[in-house]
Amino acid sequence: MTSARAAALGAAFAREAARVAGKDVADVCVSLGRDSRISGEMLLAAAAAGVTSTGARAINFGIATTPAMFMSTVTPDFEYDGAIMLTASHLPPDRNGMKFFTPRGGASKKTISDLIEDALCSLPVVSKDAFSGLD
């Protein structure tokens, strides 16, 4: 996971949370949490930047559990439109990923595929020619 990918996925998820909530993306609020992996703080900041680049609000929960991030979408007085958890669960410490939640639950395989496709469309395309002439 790179910062650019985390930002692109954050933006894609903000748009998805808006669609699910039936709101304009500017009216959406997404909570973000992470586990204790070394890359977590940097990736959370990047994902939050992606969320806010759409006009949505991002709330940093810091180190949190996956269930807590889902609960932030359904607990009275919180009820965020979506939540992102940066974690790789039981994978080695050098790995990291993202879990996505709306009040309906965790993102389906189809939704995740759609988020990835949306995110890929916003990443810059660099051709091999861009590297010619490098020393």
Side-chain angles (χ1 to χ4, degrees):
M1 176 72 67
T2 65
S3 293
R5 290 177 180 160
L9 285 165
F13 181 67
R15 291 187 288 273
E16 173 64 10
R19 185 193 67 75
V20 169
K23 295 180 176 180
D24 184 83
V25 73
D27 297 324
V28 164
C29 190
V30 175
S31 58
L32 297 98
R34 65 181 181 88
D35 66 13
S36 61
R37 291 169 194 272
I38 293 170
S39 61
E41 193 170 350
M42 180 236 352
L43 293 174
L44 187 144
V51 168
T52 59
S53 75
T54 67
R57 289 181 48 225
I59 305 297
N60 182 349
F61 272 47
I63 294 178
T65 64
T66 298
M69 295 317 300
F70 168 67
M71 292 304 294
S72 74
T73 69
V74 295
T75 301
D77 297 327
F78 288 89
E79 299 175 308
Y80 294 108
D81 301 295
I84 299 172
M85 177 66 186
L86 286 113
T87 182
S89 295
H90 306 293
L91 292 175
D94 62 330
R95 305 261 180 101
N96 218 329
M98 300 168 87
K99 295 181 180 183
F100 304 95
F101 303 97
T102 67
R104 296 180 184 173
S108 68
K109 288 181 183 180
K110 165 99 170 74
T111 298
I112 292 168
S113 293
D114 291 347
L115 290 173
I116 291 168
E117 186 174 328
D118 183 356
L120 286 173
C121 289
S122 68
L123 288 172
V125 177
V126 179
S127 73
K128 64 179 180 171
D129 297 333
F131 296 99
S132 64
L134 292 177
D135 294 329

